[in-house]
C-alpha cells in the first residue's frame, strides 16, 4: 500500500514529485476546511456532495478564503490559481475513482457512513486510502464493514480545520501500519499537528475534554448557577478562551449533547459522561444556541460583565502554612499593601476578625466552618493568580452572617471582579480542572495516546491555556486527589473517582509526567 506515500511531501511543486489526488466528501464546515487545506497544499481535489447547490456554495466559500489568503500575503497568486484549477466539484461518487486518498466528512450517522464507504469501495482502487473524520463513532466498527480494512483509518480534524492544527490519526485494529505512518506524515506535511490515538470512544480530545462541558453543565443542574458566572470564572480565573456554556451554544446544544451521549454509551454509561438535564431542556425547547438565536444566551447579546468590582483595602492577614496552589496570593497581598504574617498551620489565610479564607479543596465552606469553628470564605483556583479577571467565592453560614466586605477586600487584591457563588463543592475552576487532569492521566495510562500527545491535543485542538499534565503537576497530585475525593463524598463517588495513576503519583510524590 504505497499510493498515499506519493503525495506525502507537499514540497512537490519544488521537487517535481506528484502530489496525488485527494477526495473530500461532505460540503459542511468541516468539508470546507479539509478541502481548503488540501488545495493549499497543492493537491488535485475532488469534492463530492449529494446536493449540488450546497456544494457550489461551499466551493465559492473556499475559493473566497484562498483569495483572502493571497491578499494577506499568506498564499501566492500562483498557488491560488493552481488551487482554483485543481478543484473539481461532483455529485457522482463514481467520479472519485482515481482518488489516492478519500476523507469523508458527512453527517455523524453510522449507517449513512457505512453505506457511503460501501459505495466507495466499489469505485476506488484497492490501494486507495479511505479516512473518516468522525469525532465519536467507532473506527473499528466502521472498518468491520469494509472489504479492505487495512487502508481505512480515522483522520479527525478540528473546526475550523485551517486554523486549528490538531489532527487525531486513529488507526483501527485492522489498519495497516504503513497506512497510519503515511497518513501521519501527510498531515505533518500539510502543516498540521498529528497525534496518534487508539480507536477508543471520543479518541483523545472528545474524551479528555468532556469535563470541560459536563462539569459546567452539572453545576447549572445542581445549583441553578448563572451561566454567565460559570463562564466568567472559567475564562477570568481559569484562563480558558471561552466558557463551557457559551461554547456549547457555539457548537450547538444538539450536537454537543449527542457527542456526550455517544461517549457515555460507548463507555458503559459511566457517570462521568452522563448528559445534563439543563442541556436536554434546551434541546427539547429548540434552543440550540447561536444557530437558533438562543441557548444559554440570547444572540445577539452584549453579555454584560458579571461580578462586582471590589477595591482592596490593605490590612493585616496571617498566612497559616503553605497555601498550596494559592501560595502566589501571599506575594500579591504584600504587593497590594497588606501586612502578611506567616505562621504554622493548615494552609489558609486568617483576618484579625477571625474570618478564614482558603482555596477550595472540594469541601464546602459550611463543612470547613464546623471543622475550624470560624467563619470561612473559599475562593476558586486560578491559572495564574497574578492575572485573575474574575473569580468566584463561597461563604459558609457564619461568614455570610458576619458580612463579606472584609473577605472580598482581600480577594480584590488578586482579582478584578468577584462573584459570590453558592457553597458548591470545588466551585467552578478547581472542579473542572481536577476532572480534566484526571481524564488526561487516565487516557495516557490506558495507552490511548502518549503523554506528550495529550498535551499537544489539548493545546492545539481545543486551545487550553496549559497542557493538562503540566497543570496537574503545577497544582500537585495530592491537591487534585483531595479535591476529587472531597467532591465525591458529597456529589457522586463514581463520577469523581480518582484514576489509579493519579493516586499513585500522589502516593509516590512524583510528577504526573514521570508517572504516566
Amino acid at each position: 500500500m504505497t499510493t498515499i506515500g506519493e503525495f506525502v511531501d507537499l514540497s512537490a511543486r519544488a521537487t517535481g514529485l506528484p502530489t496525488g489526488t485527494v477526495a473530500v466528501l461532505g460540503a459542511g464546515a468541516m468539508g470546507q476546511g479539509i478541502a481548503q487545506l488540501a488545495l493549499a497544499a497543492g493537491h488535485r481535489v475532488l469534492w463530492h456532495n449529494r446536493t449540488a447547490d450546497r456544494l457550489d456554495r461551499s466551493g465559492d466559500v473556499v475559493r473566497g478564503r484562498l483569495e483572502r489568503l493571497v491578499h494577506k500575503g499568506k498564499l501566492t497568486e500562483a498557488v491560488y490559481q493552481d488551487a482554483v484549477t485543481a478543484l473539481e466539484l461532483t455529485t457522482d461518487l463514481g467520479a472519485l475513482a482515481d482518488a489516492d486518498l478519500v476523507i469523508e466528512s458527512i453527517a455523524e450517522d453510522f449507517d449513512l457512513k457505512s453505506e457511503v464507504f460501501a459505495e466507495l469501495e466499489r469505485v476506488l482502487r484497492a490501494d486507495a486510502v479511505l479516512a473518516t473524520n468522525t469525532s465519536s463513532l467507532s473506527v473499528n466498527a466502521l472498518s468491520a464493514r469494509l472489504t479492505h480494512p487495512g487502508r481505512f483509518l480515522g483522520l479527525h480534524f478540528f473546526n475550523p480545520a485551517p486554523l486549528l492544527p490538531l489532527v487525531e490519526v486513529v488507526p483501527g485494529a485492522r489498519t495497516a501500519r504503513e497506512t497510519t505512518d503515511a497518513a501521519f506524515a501527510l498531515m505533518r506535511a500539510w502543516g498540521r499537528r498529528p497525534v496518534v490515538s487508539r480507536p477508543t470512544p471520543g479518541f483523545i480530545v472528545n474524551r479528555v475534554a468532556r469535563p470541560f462541558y459536563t462539569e459546567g453543565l452539572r453545576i447549572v443542574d445542581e445549583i441553578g448557577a448563572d451561566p454567565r458566572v460559570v463562564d466568567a470564572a472559567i475564562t477570568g480565573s481559569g484562563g480558558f478562551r471561552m466558557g463551557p456554556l457559551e461554547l456549547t451554544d457555539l457548537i450547538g446544544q444538539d450536537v454537543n449533547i449527542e457527542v456526550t451521549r455517544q461517549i457515555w454509551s460507548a463507555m458503559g454509561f459511566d457517570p462521568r459522561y452522563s448528559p445534563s438535564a439543563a442541556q436536554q431542556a434546551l434541546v427539547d425547547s429548540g434552543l440550540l444556541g447561536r444557530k437558533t438565536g438562543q441557548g444559554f444566551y440570547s444572540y445577539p447579546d452584549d453579555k454584560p460583565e458579571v461580578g462586582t468590582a471590589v477595591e482592596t483595602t490593605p490590612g493585616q492577614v496571617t498566612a497559616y502554612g503553605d497555601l498550596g496552589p494559592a501560595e502566589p496570593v501571599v506575594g500579591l497581598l504584600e504587593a497590594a499593601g497588606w501586612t502578611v504574617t506567616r505562621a504554622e498551620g493548615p494552609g489558609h489565610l486568617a483576618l484579625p476578625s477571625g474570618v478564614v479564607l482558603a482555596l477550595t479543596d472540594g469541601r464546602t465552606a459550611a463543612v470547613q466552618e464546623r471543622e475550624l469553628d470560624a467563619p470561612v470564605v473559599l475562593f476558586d483556583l486560578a491559572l495564574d493568580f497574578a492575572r485573575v479577571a474574575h473569580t468566584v467565592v463561597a461563604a459558609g453560614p457564619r461568614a455570610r452572617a458576619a458580612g463579606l466586605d472584609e473577605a472580598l477586600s482581600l480577594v480584590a487584591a488578586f482579582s478584578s471582579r468577584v462573584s459570590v457563588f453558592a457553597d458548591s463543592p470545588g466551585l467552578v475552576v478547581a472542579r473542572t480542572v481536577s476532572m480534566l487532569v484526571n481524564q488526561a492521566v487516565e487516557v495516557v495510562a490506558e495507552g490511548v495516546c502518549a503523554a506528550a500527545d495529550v498535551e499537544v491535543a489539548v493545546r492545539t485542538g481545543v486551545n487550553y491555556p496549559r497542557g493538562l499534565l503540566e497543570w496537574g503537576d503545577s497544582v500537585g497530585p495530592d491537591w487534585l486527589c483531595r479535591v476529587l475525593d472531597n467532591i465525591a463524598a458529597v456529589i457522586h463517588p463514581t463520577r469523581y473517582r480518582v484514576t489509579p495513576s493519579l493516586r499513585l503519583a500522589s502516593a509516590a510524590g512524583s510528577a504526573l509526567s514521570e508517572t504516566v
Side-chain angles (χ1 to χ4, degrees):
M1 195 173 295
T2 59
T3 303
I4 193 171
E6 293 178 4
F7 55 94
V8 162
D9 184 1
L10 291 192
S11 62
R13 298 182 181 281
T15 64
L17 295 173
T19 59
T21 297
V22 176
V24 178
L25 269 64
M30 192 60 72
Q32 292 173 8
I34 296 169
Q36 178 181 332
L37 287 170
L39 288 166
H43 294 279
R44 174 191 177 213
V45 174
L46 305 175
W47 195 355
H48 176 275
N49 194 67
R50 294 188 173 181
T51 305
D53 289 348
R54 175 72 178 275
L55 185 58
D56 289 339
R57 290 195 300 271
S58 291
D60 290 341
V61 167
V62 169
R63 292 186 194 97
R65 288 178 183 171
L66 292 172
E67 188 173 15
R68 286 193 292 274
L69 290 176
V70 174
H71 294 157
K72 293 178 180 179
K74 296 181 179 181
L75 199 69
T76 67
E77 179 67 27
V79 171
Y80 168 71
Q81 292 297 337
D82 286 348
V84 170
T85 303
L87 178 60
E88 301 174 33
L89 308 181
T90 181
T91 58
D92 177 14
L93 276 178
L96 311 184
D98 62 345
D100 298 299
L101 168 67
V102 179
I103 303 177
E104 166 276 317
S105 185
I106 62 175
E108 283 287 84
D109 182 300
F110 182 87
D111 291 333
L112 178 60
K113 288 181 188 289
S114 295
E115 177 186 326
V116 169
F117 294 146
E119 292 182 50
L120 283 169
E121 285 211 300
R122 289 192 288 270
V123 170
L124 298 172
R125 302 187 315 271
D127 62 350
V129 173
L130 184 56
T132 175
N133 184 56
T134 184
S135 61
S136 57
L137 299 178
S138 169
V139 171
N140 281 334
L142 289 169
S143 72
R145 298 193 179 187
L146 297 177
T147 304
H148 303 287
R151 49 93 171 265
F152 178 79
L153 79 169
L155 287 178
H156 180 215
F157 294 78
F158 289 76
N159 193 27
L163 298 181
L164 293 178
L166 182 70
V167 178
E168 293 176 322
V169 179
V170 189
R174 300 167 70 185
T175 302
R177 177 61 182 269
E178 54 264 35
T179 301
T180 304
D181 291 346
F184 187 93
L186 178 64
M187 292 301 100
R188 290 190 66 176
W190 282 16
R192 304 299 89 194
R193 290 292 301 274
V195 293
V196 176
S197 169
R198 278 178 47 208
T200 57
F203 312 141
I204 303 170
V205 170
N206 272 326
R207 180 171 166 190
V208 171
R210 241 43 254 155
F212 184 75
Y213 310 107
T214 57
E215 291 309 306
L217 290 163
R218 287 294 293 242
I219 291 169
V220 172
D221 285 346
E222 291 165 7
I223 61 173
D226 182 343
R228 285 182 169 80
V229 174
V230 173
D231 284 346
I234 287 290
T235 57
S237 190
F240 293 88
R241 294 189 181 185
M242 186 178 285
L245 307 176
E246 185 178 7
L247 183 54
T248 57
D249 267 359
L250 177 63
I251 294 167
Q253 299 300 337
D254 53 339
V255 174
N256 185 261
I257 199 170
E258 180 58 28
V259 174
T260 297
R261 270 203 207 91
Q262 289 175 1
I263 295 174
W264 181 48
S265 175
M267 296 299 290
F269 302 102
D270 187 323
R272 289 182 297 184
Y273 308 101
S274 59
S276 155
Q279 188 174 39
Q280 185 62 58
L282 289 177
V283 173
D284 291 344
S285 302
L287 305 177
L288 306 182
R290 288 179 183 265
K291 61 187 176 184
T292 62
Q294 187 174 348
F296 282 109
Y297 298 89
S298 296
Y299 300 91
D301 188 336
D302 58 1
K303 293 185 175 56
E305 199 163 20
V306 297
T308 303
V310 181
E311 293 186 5
T312 188
T313 303
Q316 294 185 337
V317 63
T318 302
Y320 287 96
D322 190 291
L323 303 187
E327 182 62 24
V329 167
V330 173
L332 294 170
L333 286 168
E334 291 174 332
W338 287 75
T339 301
V340 181
T341 303
R342 302 301 303 235
E344 295 294 323
H348 62 235
L349 300 165
L351 293 164
S353 63
V355 174
V356 170
L357 288 96
L359 173 67
T360 179
D361 65 357
R363 294 175 295 168
T364 63
V367 166
Q368 294 195 51
E369 283 191 339
R370 291 194 297 273
E371 294 175 356
L372 296 172
D373 192 23
V376 172
V377 176
L378 302 177
F379 56 88
D380 209 352
L381 178 68
L383 172 69
D384 181 354
F385 278 100
R387 292 188 294 180
V388 177
H390 180 275
T391 195
V392 296
V393 301
R398 290 175 61 174
R400 289 195 298 271
L404 300 181
D405 289 350
E406 190 180 18
L408 294 181
S409 173
L410 185 148
V411 173
F414 63 85
S415 181
S416 303
R417 301 184 74 84
V418 183
S419 288
V420 179
F421 204 64
D423 192 11
S424 176
L427 297 180
V428 179
V429 180
R431 175 171 170 173
T432 301
V433 169
S434 296
M435 285 291 278
L436 286 169
V437 175
N438 197 47
Q439 282 286 85
V441 171
E442 181 174 86
V443 162
V444 175
E446 290 179 358
V448 174
C449 66
D453 284 349
V454 79
E455 302 292 74
V456 169
V458 299
R459 292 299 303 275
T460 62
V462 281
N463 281 320
Y464 285 0
R466 178 181 284 180
L468 293 177
L469 300 181
E470 177 192 356
W471 207 338
D473 282 335
S474 74
V475 298
D478 284 349
W479 183 81
L480 291 166
C481 289
R482 187 161 60 252
V483 169
L484 291 171
D485 285 341
N486 287 331
I487 297 174
V490 176
I491 299 179
H492 197 296
T494 305
R495 181 182 176 93
Y496 297 97
R497 66 188 185 274
V498 176
T499 195
S501 291
L502 179 56
R503 186 81 71 190
L504 288 171
S506 175
S510 58
L512 295 177
S513 54
E514 299 171 356
T515 305
V516 297

